[in-house]
Amino acid sequence: MIVSRIKPNLYKDSVALMRIAEKLLADPAITLATLVMATPANKDILKEAGLLNTQADGAAPSDLIIVIECADEAVANAAFDLIDSSLAGGSQAGGGKAEEVVPRSLNMALGMAASTRSASEAAQATAPSTPLSAANLVQISVPGAYAGAEALKAVKAGLNVFLFSDNVPLEQERAIKQLALRKGVLVMGPDCGTAIIGGVPLGFANVVRRGDIGLIGASGTGLQEVTAQIHLMGAGVSHAIGTGGRDVKAEIGGITMLMALDLLAADPATRVIGIISKPPAPAVMSEVIARAGRAGKPVVTVFLGGALVTASSNVHQTTTLHDCAASCVALARGHVAASGIDRKPLVGAPPSPMPVKGSGRYVRGLFSGGTFCTEAQVALRDAGIDCWSNVPIDKQRALPDLQRSHEHTMLDLGDDDFTVGKPHPMIDPSTRIARIAQEAADPDTAVLLVDIVLGYAGHMDPAGALSQAIMQAKAKRDLPVVAFVCGTEEDPQIRSKQETALKAAGCLVASSSTQAAAWAASLVTV
């Protein structure tokens, strides 16, 4: 049975809603749990999936839509009880103490900050500044229909912005960023999933040491991988500034990327700058490369899938996430920029490559990180292998049927195509578990390639969640599974623990996303 409910005028950010859905889906009697704000875009997605009833269709953008598919009414009632308690969690004061007043709007927060500053000034600055009074950055995670307006308010108030929300119109993003440029503040996003500012993680970010390498990323998981690899190489990060994926489009002009480049160039704590992105629009690329050449510091770039261009001697162009990290570390240590991935022998791999022809000849990639899906496509292309994808680097190779892989296929399971009614795969592994079984049952599958992404807001044991499915797949036939972990030992999930679980499941565990893609390609090429 499918049951829907509306919570009027109740906003929760997408990460919180995904967490609640994850709790619900732990019950085998619940087959679907979706909690979304009733924005037009979300209602369109629900309608396409056949989950939008008349009541939900009439919901306002500020309303929360809940849809549960479960065994019976008793399960549904229990599910809604859990939802109610989760939504209300942490809102009650305890121990008889007065409840702290939490600002419920940007204007309220600004007013409280002004009051705190005034009180401090009245005390002749003898009282230390509170975090609120000293704040100069606002994190925004509200429905896209309202996110742009909130970001505009913040920029007008002279605040930097981390805009986690998506579904902000392109023309609105341009207007906000043009104003931010005039005001001299930074707008990270919209749809910015990761940043680390002065050691403080925002969104999906990993625990990495502080250091002298500053990063700019128009791709979230790409930024995560480079920060993690820098940490693993013994170096550290001063700042990691996300821009949002659309920033490098011609319509936006790379406003945030260029501002971030200037900020890091002027930052005395930053010695080397790294830039991670898919290829920008040609005019944006030219300006970024030119601005990097004037940075007065070494700048390392990786524009995944793009061609190398003419650049100043201080600009070091790489083609993989690993090489970007390695080059940043080498330059920070005063060495020559690094190149080439770690090509140590693959322990446990077949002694010779599998033939391309015959049964079992295709690589199937199942990713939770979109950047990793792109990098794998580039690695396969460089090995002479064309592949299909729901997010193809070659637009002519868009997968015709998303539910069925065709030849070599790389899937971004975190794309909207696969997240209708489900949390993101970095939080809920159920979509990937089902797809692993499907690909393993296909005799044309020669190699499975998977990522494991650690960090804040992600699943607390992603490798453990996939291990059973991988072992079941390998029990049916000798199917190589290549995996890698994006994260560090300091992450809540602990990198070594995740790698151990993957190895115990029979995976070939690579040290980076770059190496994993190269290994997968080598297994199906002569």
Side-chain angles (χ1 to χ4, degrees):
M1 64 181 294
I2 297 178
V3 185
S4 299
R5 286 190 187 175
I6 308 299
K7 296 282 188 180
N9 296 313
L10 177 65
Y11 175 74
K12 292 289 182 179
D13 69 63
S14 58
V15 173
L17 295 177
M18 286 189 289
R19 284 291 191 195
I20 295 171
E22 181 187 12
K23 291 180 185 177
L24 296 170
L25 291 168
D27 185 345
I30 298 175
T31 55
L32 180 144
T34 181
L35 297 86
V36 295
M37 299 307 299
T39 62
N42 282 338
K43 288 199 287 188
D44 286 344
I45 293 172
L46 292 174
K47 184 177 181 180
E48 186 176 342
L51 299 173
L52 188 71
N53 61 19
T54 303
Q55 182 189 19
D57 192 30
S62 59
D63 298 342
L64 174 64
I65 299 176
I66 304 168
V67 183
I68 304 291
E69 183 176 14
C70 57
D72 52 45
E73 187 175 351
V75 174
N77 290 336
F80 285 115
D81 287 343
L82 175 59
I83 292 170
D84 288 341
S85 63
S86 298
L87 291 173
S91 63
Q92 301 298 321
K97 296 180 180 179
E99 184 176 1
E100 181 182 355
V101 177
V102 177
R104 297 184 61 84
S105 70
L106 179 59
N107 286 337
M108 184 177 176
L110 291 172
M112 292 171 65
S115 297
T116 304
R117 284 194 297 270
S118 297
S120 179
E121 291 167 1
Q124 299 180 346
T126 56
S129 294
T130 68
L132 184 59
S133 67
N136 66 355
L137 183 149
V138 58
Q139 179 169 309
I140 298 174
S141 180
V142 299
Y146 305 104
E150 294 301 317
L152 197 59
K153 291 177 190 175
V155 170
K156 288 179 177 178
L159 296 172
N160 300 287
V161 175
F162 178 82
L163 187 49
F164 187 81
S165 307
D166 58 4
N167 293 315
V168 175
L170 190 66
E171 61 274 14
Q172 195 173 37
E173 176 180 349
R174 181 171 60 247
I176 294 167
K177 289 187 172 181
Q178 287 173 342
L179 177 61
L181 180 61
R182 296 194 296 271
K183 299 278 287 185
V185 295
L186 199 65
V187 175
M188 296 173 276
D191 198 18
C192 186
T194 299
I196 302 172
I197 306 299
V200 178
L202 302 173
F204 293 99
N206 299 96
V207 182
V208 300
R209 72 174 61 82
R210 297 293 302 278
D212 55 6
I213 299 172
L215 299 171
I216 306 164
S219 54
T221 47
L223 191 57
Q224 284 188 260
E225 174 70 354
V226 174
T227 60
Q229 288 295 320
I230 286 171
H231 178 93
L232 293 170
M233 295 172 192
V237 173
S238 56
H239 308 280
I241 301 172
T243 70
R246 298 187 310 194
D247 187 73
V248 295
K249 289 182 175 292
E251 294 86 345
I252 306 300
I255 291 174
T256 299
M257 182 170 284
L258 293 169
M259 290 182 71
L261 186 51
D262 290 344
L263 286 170
L264 292 178
D267 177 28
T270 299
R271 183 175 181 182
V272 176
I273 300 169
I275 302 176
I276 306 104
S277 176
K278 294 178 183 178
V284 178
M285 171 76 89
S286 296
E287 180 58 29
V288 168
I289 292 296
R291 193 82 61 93
R294 300 192 296 269
K297 299 176 180 180
V299 179
V300 180
T301 67
V302 55
F303 298 117
L304 283 172
L308 302 183
V309 299
T310 302
S312 301
S313 59
N314 71 308
V315 179
H316 306 268
Q317 300 175 77
T318 63
T319 58
T320 70
L321 298 175
H322 177 276
D323 283 1
C324 177
S327 293
C328 285
V329 172
L331 290 165
R333 291 172 175 167
H335 303 155
V336 176
S339 65
I341 69 166
D342 178 10
R343 299 189 183 278
K344 294 178 182 178
L346 180 57
V347 177
S352 61
M354 293 181 176
V356 173
K357 296 182 179 180
S359 180
R361 60 184 186 269
Y362 298 122
V363 180
R364 303 287 166 74
L366 305 175
F367 298 97
S368 60
T371 307
F372 301 140
C373 185
T374 297
E375 186 179 37
Q377 291 178 67
V378 173
L380 290 167
R381 183 194 66 186
D382 292 348
I385 300 171
D386 291 324
C387 62
W388 300 82
S389 178
N390 61 320
V391 288
I393 56 174
D394 177 357
K395 301 306 179 185
Q396 296 184 355
R397 297 190 73 84
L399 190 65
D401 181 359
L402 297 181
Q403 304 308 317
R404 182 179 176 83
S405 294
H406 179 64
E407 298 177 343
H408 300 286
T409 297
M410 300 292 111
L411 292 177
D412 173 12
L413 296 175
D415 189 75
D416 288 347
D417 293 329
F418 292 100
T419 54
V420 175
K422 287 182 177 293
H424 192 280
M426 285 168 60
I427 293 175
D428 172 27
S430 59
T431 299
R432 259 211 299 189
I433 288 172
R435 195 67 183 232
I436 287 171
Q438 178 181 326
E439 301 297 350
D442 184 348
D444 279 344
T445 302
V447 181
L448 285 180
L449 175 58
V450 298
D451 62 344
I452 296 292
V453 184
L454 312 184
Y456 294 106
H459 193 284
M460 284 307 296
D461 185 17
L466 292 187
S467 291
Q468 187 64 32
I470 291 171
M471 287 188 288
Q472 289 174 352
K474 293 181 68 64
K476 296 177 181 178
R477 60 190 178 99
D478 188 15
L479 177 66
V481 180
V482 178
F484 69 93
V485 176
C486 170
T488 72
E489 200 68 7
E490 286 69 30
D491 281 323
Q493 302 90 342
I494 308 174
R495 181 186 176 99
S496 62
K497 179 179 178 181
Q498 298 298 305
E499 290 182 331
T500 297
L502 291 170
K503 291 174 182 176
C507 294
L508 309 171
V509 180
S511 62
S512 68
S513 63
T514 302
Q515 189 177 65
W519 283 359
S522 73
L523 290 172
V524 292
T525 54
V526 177

